[in-house]
Amino acid sequence: MTTVASTVRRGRTARRDRVLYQRLADELVGLIETRVLRPGDRLPSVRTYSRQKRVSLATVLRTYQLLEDRGYLDVRPQSGHYVSSTGGQLAPSPSVPRPSFAKEEVRVADLAWDLLARVNDKALAPFGLATAAPEHYPARRLSRILARVSRESGVASVIYGPPAGHEALLHQLARRSLAAGLTLRPEELLVTNGCTEAIHLALRALTRAGDVLLVESPSYYAFLETAESLGLRVVEVPTDPETGVSLEHLEAAARRTRPRAFLTNPTFHNPLGFSVPDDRKREQLALLARHGVAVVEDDIYGDLYFGDARPAPLKAFDETGDVILCSSFSKTVAPGFRVGWLAAGRHAERIRKLKLASSIHTNTLAQLTLAEYLSGGGAEHHLRRLRQAFRAQVADYSVAVARLFPEGTRVSRPQGGHLLWIELARGKDTMELSRRALARRVGIVPGRVFSTGDTYGHCFRLNCGFPLRGGREEALETLAALAREL
Ligand SMILES: Cc1ncc(COP(=O)(O)O)c(C=O)c1O
C-alpha cells in the first residue's frame, strides 16, 4: 500500500541517488583532470565499480552516462568505458576551471513558485522574476478592449474555441511575423498557453524519455525543469556571453551524444542577453541539420531589441522544417493573459494532437482581445516605448552595479531584453546571497539554477524590468552590501 511516509521515503531515496551519481562523476573528473586517469585508460566495468563503491549498478551507469555526455568518456561497444582523447573539452563554461556535477539539491520549482507567489508583494525588490513594472504593460487599453470584445462576442467567448487558435489572432501573428523576417501563414501557427506550453509541446513532439537534449550553458532554469519533467538527459553546451553557443562544442556534442533536439534562446538570451549574429545562426542550423538534430527556438524576447532592427529568429533560416519557433506576449504585452504561439514546421501534425491532450485550446477572450489590440497602431507605439524604457533601465542598473558591487564583479552586456547576468568573485555563494537578500526583502535568482551542474554558484540574474527608483536603488545597495559580506 502506498502511504504518505513511503512516498516521502521514495522521494528521499531518489534524491540521495541523484546526489550520489553526481558525486561519483565529480570524483572521476578529478582523477581525469589530475591525469591520474589518462586519455585511452579503461574505467572499471560497471559491475566492478558498483562493487568497489558499494552503489547500485544503475548509479554507476548514470555516472558513466553523465561523463560520456560531457565528453570525458567514450564507450567502445563490447569493450567498456574509456577516458576520451579530449579528456573533457566539453566543459560548460570557458571561465570556469572545471565543470562540477555535484550540487546541493536546488529546488528550482520551489524557488520560482516562491517568487511568483510574491509577485504582487510591493515590499519585495523585484530583481528576481523576469517581469516588468506594471506600468510597462498597456493594461488600461487591454481592459477596455476586453470589455468590448466580451460584450460583442457574446456566447462565442464562453463556448469552446478552435484548438489551433482564433482566426483573428492567427492572422495578426502571421502579419507580425513578416517584421521578424519570417513568412508564416496563419495555418502554420498554433496558439498556446504562453511560451511555456509551446516549449512543452515542442519537446514532447520531438523527444522521448531518455533522449539527449542540448541546451546553452547557462540556460533559463525552466528549460532544465521541463527537460527533467520529461525524463530527458540534458547536455549543456559552453556558450559565449556575446555570440552564443560555441559552434565547436555544439558540433562535438552533436557528434558525441546523438541528441534529439537543441533547446535554445538565441535572441536576447535569458540570462546572458546576447543575440546570436545572423551568420552564426545560419551556421548553427547547418551544423544541426547535418547531425539530424531538431531545434526548439524560444524567441520570447525578440521584439525587445536595443539596436536599430529586430534580429531574425533562427526559424527565418530554417530550410528543413525542423525548427519549432516558440514565443508569447508575456514579455511585451500581458504575461497574465497566458497567450503564446508556435510554428512547428514539419512537426505540426503531431503538435496539434498534443495540444488537444494538453489544454484543448487557449482562452478565447484573451486571444480576441490581443487580436484587436494588435490590429491597431497602438501596439507598435507601445513596443517602441518599451524598448526605450528597457534599454535605459538596463543601462542604469549596469552603471549602479559597477559602482556598488565589490571589485572583480563582472556584468553581462545585453543587446536586448531586461536581464543582467552578474558574476561575483569565484567562491562567493549566491544561493546564500539569495537567502540573505530575501530576508531583507530583495529577490534575485541564484546562478546555480541555470545549470544542471555547479558551474554558476558565484553568479546571479538581476531583473531590470522595473525603473531604478522608488526604493529600488536602496535595495540594490543592500544587495551589494550583502555581496561584499559573503
Ligand atoms: C526565455 C523564457 N522563455 C519562456 C518564459 C515563460 O514564458 P510564458 O510566460 O509565456 O510562458 C520566460 C519567462 O521568464 C523566459 O524568460
Side-chain angles (χ1 to χ4, degrees), residues 70-93:
R70 302 295 167 94
Y72 284 99
L73 298 185
D74 286 332
V75 185
R76 297 188 200 156
Q78 265 126 51
S79 175
H81 292 83
Y82 292 80
V83 177
S84 72
S85 55
T86 52
Q89 258 181 15
L90 292 180
S93 164

Side-chain angles (χ1 to χ4, degrees), residues 130 194-196 199 220 223 265 270 298 300-301 328 330-331 338:
C195 193
T196 303
I199 290 169
Y220 170 44
F223 285 1
N265 180 207
N270 175 0
D298 181 335
I300 198 167
Y301 294 100
S328 82
S330 298
K331 305 298 165 188
R338 309 303 305 131

Side-chain angles (χ1 to χ4, degrees), residues 1-13:
M1 191 179 72
T2 309
T3 61
V4 173
S6 70
T7 308
V8 169
R9 254 196 319 276
R10 261 206 314 281
R12 277 204 207 113
T13 311

Side-chain angles (χ1 to χ4, degrees), residues 176-420:
R176 289 187 53 74
S177 74
L178 281 175
L182 286 161
T183 34
L184 293 169
R185 283 171 287 119
E187 56 275 23
E188 291 178 88
L189 292 155
L190 183 130
V191 178
T192 58
N193 290 292
C195 193
T196 303
E197 190 190 29
I199 290 169
H200 255 268
L201 293 173
L203 289 178
R204 284 178 60 199
L206 294 173
T207 63
R208 273 188 304 206
D211 282 348
V212 169
L213 177 72
L214 301 181
V215 296
E216 285 129 353
S217 184
S219 224
Y220 170 44
Y221 51 83
F223 285 1
L224 306 176
E225 280 283 306
T226 304
E228 187 178 341
S229 75
L230 296 174
L232 303 176
R233 283 155 48 206
V234 167
V235 171
E236 292 176 39
V237 186
T239 299
D240 184 288
E242 295 191 352
T243 54
V245 78
S246 146
L247 290 172
E248 188 194 336
H249 286 103
L250 190 64
E251 171 101 54
R255 212 171 335 104
R256 192 187 300 277
T257 66
R258 300 187 180 286
R260 189 62 201 97
F262 174 40
L263 172 56
T264 173
N265 180 207
T267 309
F268 315 132
H269 178 264
N270 175 0
L272 292 173
F274 61 76
S275 178
V276 177
D278 279 1
D279 53 344
R280 283 180 79 93
K281 280 183 176 155
R282 278 200 193 87
E283 284 180 73
Q284 274 184 25
L285 279 193
L287 185 164
L288 293 164
R290 272 201 306 280
H291 291 275
V293 183
V295 178
V296 179
E297 176 181 24
D298 181 335
D299 188 47
I300 198 167
Y301 294 100
D303 280 332
L304 299 177
Y305 49 91
F306 298 161
D308 296 334
R310 188 205 199 285
L314 274 174
K315 181 76 184 163
F317 308 107
D318 178 21
E319 287 173 4
T320 61
D322 245 349
V323 178
I324 303 183
L325 174 76
C326 303
S327 194
S328 82
F329 293 107
S330 298
K331 305 298 165 188
T332 47
V333 183
F337 273 31
R338 309 303 305 131
V339 175
W341 64 91
L342 59 78
R346 67 189 188 85
H347 306 281
E349 195 50 47
R350 170 118 185 85
I351 288 202
R352 275 189 209 119
K353 293 191 182 120
L354 289 167
K355 170 72 182 176
L356 276 183
S358 171
S359 61
I360 304 181
H361 73 84
T362 302
N363 182 293
T364 296
L365 267 182
Q367 288 190 61
L368 296 178
T369 303
L370 280 168
E372 174 85 22
Y373 175 69
L374 294 171
S375 69
E380 284 317 313
H381 177 68
H382 159 71
L383 284 174
R384 256 196 314 278
R385 288 194 35 192
L386 197 61
R387 286 193 282 268
Q388 279 163 8
F390 286 157
R391 189 176 158 169
Q393 283 168 209
V394 167
D396 288 349
Y397 279 74
S398 303
V399 170
V401 168
R403 182 165 53 80
L404 297 170
F405 276 68
E407 209 173 314
T409 302
R410 292 162 176 251
V411 186
S412 59
R413 306 264 181 282
Q415 293 160 265
H418 51 79
L419 301 170
L420 281 178

Side-chain angles (χ1 to χ4, degrees), residues 95-110:
S95 64
V96 173
R98 77 174 173 86
S100 159
F101 305 125
K103 69 173 174 182
E104 181 188 310
E105 182 79 350
V106 178
R107 304 175 69 96
V108 179
D110 288 356

